[in-house]
Amino acid sequence: SYKPLQVFERHCFYNKGLDSPHLGERMATSWGAAFFMLVTSCVCSTIFHRDQQTWFEGVFLSSMCPINVSTSTLYGIMFDAGSTGTRIHVYTFVQKIAGQLPVLEGEIFDSVKPGLSAFVDQPKQGAETVQELLEVAKDSIPRSHWKRTPVVLKATAGLRLLPEQKAQALLFEVKEIFKKSPFLVPDDSVSIMDGSYEGILAWITVNFLTGQLHGHSQETVGTLDLGGASTQITFLPQFQKTLEQTPRGYLTSFEMFNRTYKLYTYSYLGFGLKAARLATLGALETEGTEGHTFRSACLPRWLEAEWIFGGVKYQYGGIQEGEVGFEPCYAEVLRVVRGKLHQPDEIQRSSFYAFSYYYDRAVDTHMIDYEKGGILKVEDFERKAKEVCDNLENFTSGSPFLCMDLSYITALLKDGFGFADSTVLQLTKKVNNIETGWALGATFHLLQSLGISH
């Protein structure tokens, strides 16, 4: 049976000694993080969602008994189980002044590929990858704090796409691994998170860490997240027309410091980068595809290869006859997104932060720096897609899907969401040295719900 090759990646961030030459920057970052946590805790206590449910219901813990922690250092472990990999975030918080909220002191991040969904028929092997990442937490957290440090795993689109029974089998094995660990394991510590929560938490994280929500400014940035199996868009509408013309399921309201924010947010399952590859190849219906080769004008003619996604092996390659290049490729990916996504007019005049595969593909094609990120316009993705796709025979890349991926990103932004060519995108991997995404906000609320951070 197939056992996926595991690939690891690690980085860490810590605020160290007071003699650091970056003390001023660090203090600003810590203040910003503390402010972010304070408001996030206020947000989580007052947010409401459609159907009169709190939007974080089922995401965060709600019924755990408070735990008294006598030391000033707190830890939280958050697993992000995505479609292409599993990530662990180990956060360190310090309660510098009694009675005040703790300050984010550091983050250790590690990851393993592929994701849990690749082990769809081998749940125990999938859980072993989580066990390996747990060793990172044991190495990072003092033994004296293990029993009071909560560990939580939230699975995203990769497991949402699996049959319910198979997804639950994977989660059961992960829970068994957690139970054997020395950490605090709440009853609801392993679950599948609704995609809309990813978008909301990412928007809050980015706008707080960039200072956009400090004070009374309404100048916020939108967020675009492109995963392997799903994609999210979130922004704060500025015009009443947007609110009136947007379908009800796309709006979520919450209140912070006597201010009400009504976010436009939606998660499109099946529109992540790798799911879009399958859709482009026409391989979403996998039954009876064994021995069949899926072909595309987005691939070099000479290519004959196999690709594994979600635990399924696909044969694919270039077309033998007909045109290849950007135009025929774009026509293929356009069928995946045309008419499938809601298009709010307002986003054409807004600025957005984009991360995950938007960032990765921009790095792969040298449009931005890996460490620093960069600023691009939507039209830059189309320009690069044309450059890559129209030179397929000469292009030597580590990914034969690069033409398809860039074309899909272009079609998703322009024809899917309806962005203008001139829309500005801030491509970022980290904000103030903290990974973008939902994990930080989820971890802080986890500590709050357990009574650990009071």
Side-chain angles (χ1 to χ4, degrees):
S1 61
Y2 164 69
K3 182 176 182 179
L5 176 67
Q6 297 166 29
V7 182
F8 292 86
E9 174 188 355
R10 177 183 295 188
H11 74 249
C12 59
F13 153 67
Y14 268 101
N15 286 337
K16 297 190 176 179
L18 292 176
D19 57 347
S20 166
H22 303 291
L23 176 60
E25 178 182 355
R26 188 184 77 246
M27 290 179 66
T29 300
S30 297
W31 182 90
F35 186 87
F36 156 73
M37 294 178 205
L38 172 63
V39 181
T40 301
S41 64
C42 295
V43 169
C44 292
S45 65
T46 58
I47 294 181
F48 56 92
H49 193 257
R50 49 190 176 270
D51 301 326
Q52 302 301 312
Q53 295 177 345
T54 51
W55 64 263
F56 53 85
E57 183 176 337
V59 184
F60 300 120
L61 313 172
S62 58
S63 58
M64 293 299 298
C65 297
I67 297 173
N68 294 322
V69 179
S70 57
T71 57
S72 61
T73 301
L74 317 170
Y75 298 92
I77 306 168
M78 183 63 62
F79 279 87
D80 172 2
S83 60
T84 58
T86 301
R87 278 81 67 175
I88 184 175
H89 300 261
V90 182
Y91 295 107
T92 304
F93 303 94
V94 175
Q95 188 101 43
K96 296 194 174 183
I97 301 176
Q100 293 189 6
L101 289 171
V103 173
L104 177 63
E105 188 72 11
E107 176 196 36
I108 290 178
F109 171 88
D110 206 339
S111 64
V112 59
K113 297 179 181 180
L116 287 178
S117 58
F119 300 89
V120 58
D121 294 317
Q122 299 134 333
K124 288 185 181 294
Q125 292 183 22
E128 288 173 6
T129 64
V130 174
Q131 175 66 63
E132 293 166 5
L133 290 176
L134 268 179
E135 296 301 314
V136 174
K138 291 171 69 174
D139 292 341
S140 309
I141 300 171
R143 184 181 295 266
S144 60
H145 285 68
W146 285 356
K147 291 184 179 180
R148 63 184 60 155
T149 298
V151 57
V152 166
L153 178 142
K154 297 297 181 188
T156 55
L159 264 66
R160 289 184 214 124
L161 287 173
L162 295 182
E164 175 73 13
Q165 187 175 0
K166 291 182 178 294
Q168 291 304 320
L170 280 163
L171 297 181
F172 174 81
E173 296 298 337
V174 171
K175 185 63 176 291
E176 292 300 301
I177 292 291
F178 279 6
K179 287 180 179 179
K180 296 175 184 177
S181 79
F183 301 109
L184 174 64
V185 184
D187 290 339
D188 47 356
S189 62
V190 179
S191 62
I192 298 176
M193 185 168 67
D194 187 283
S196 61
Y197 305 142
E198 295 180 64
I200 296 166
L201 288 169
W203 184 87
I204 293 173
T205 298
V206 168
N207 281 280
F208 274 102
L209 292 181
T210 56
Q212 302 290 349
L213 291 186
H214 298 180
H216 299 285
S217 173
Q218 282 276 351
E219 294 183 4
T220 60
V221 294
T223 54
L224 295 168
D225 192 352
L226 179 61
S230 66
T231 187
Q232 291 82 38
I233 177 173
T234 306
F235 69 96
L236 180 66
Q238 298 294 304
F239 302 111
Q240 185 64 29
K241 181 180 178 182
T242 303
L243 299 176
E244 294 172 352
Q245 296 181 352
T246 298
R248 180 170 175 266
Y250 290 70
L251 296 174
T252 297
S253 298
F254 63 89
E255 190 173 302
M256 292 186 301
F257 292 146
N258 299 318
R259 286 187 60 197
T260 297
Y261 292 86
K262 181 166 282 191
L263 285 183
Y264 177 108
T265 184
Y266 201 81
S267 179
Y268 292 92
L269 184 61
F271 288 83
L273 189 70
K274 294 193 173 182
R277 291 177 185 172
L278 295 183
T280 301
L281 291 169
L284 278 182
E285 297 296 331
T286 59
E287 187 175 343
T289 61
E290 187 173 350
H292 181 77
T293 299
F294 296 95
R295 301 193 178 277
S296 170
C298 303
L299 303 169
R301 290 188 191 277
W302 49 263
L303 183 67
E304 299 290 337
E306 63 180 33
W307 175 55
I308 297 172
F309 178 60
V312 179
K313 184 183 295 185
Y314 302 92
Q315 305 290 332
Y316 70 99
I319 59 175
Q320 306 303 312
E321 298 179 358
E323 295 185 8
V324 298
F326 178 75
E327 292 298 335
C329 177
Y330 199 79
E332 288 185 16
V333 299
L334 197 56
R335 291 194 293 268
V336 177
V337 300
R338 177 177 282 165
K340 307 289 181 60
L341 287 74
H342 181 251
Q343 297 184 344
D345 293 337
E346 186 175 329
I347 63 173
Q348 297 188 19
R349 299 178 293 279
S350 305
S351 294
F352 280 77
Y353 269 59
F355 31 89
S356 300
Y357 276 119
Y358 293 114
Y359 186 92
D360 295 340
R361 288 299 169 264
V363 168
D364 293 341
T365 51
H366 309 291
M367 289 193 287
I368 61 172
D369 180 80
Y370 174 77
E371 294 294 336
K372 299 177 181 178
I375 297 175
L376 298 176
K377 293 182 179 180
V378 170
E379 62 190 4
D380 293 327
F381 277 106
E382 182 172 4
R383 174 183 53 80
K384 184 58 68 172
K386 291 179 178 178
E387 177 185 325
V388 172
C389 293
D390 289 340
N391 292 279
L392 276 177
E393 301 306 316
N394 301 322
F395 197 82
T396 56
S397 166
S399 173
F401 287 109
L402 194 58
C403 165
M404 183 182 292
D405 290 350
L406 290 170
S407 297
Y408 174 69
I409 289 174
T410 302
L412 177 65
L413 292 171
K414 293 182 58 175
D415 301 280
F417 293 130
F419 282 105
D421 287 337
S422 58
T423 300
V424 174
L425 303 177
Q426 173 72 53
L427 280 294
T428 182
K429 189 177 184 68
K430 292 186 288 186
V431 176
N432 290 337
N433 287 320
I434 304 299
E435 287 282 324
T436 52
W438 53 265
L440 176 59
T443 303
F444 182 72
H445 190 274
L446 169 65
L447 297 177
Q448 289 283 298
S449 65
L450 292 171
I452 292 178
S453 61
H454 289 305

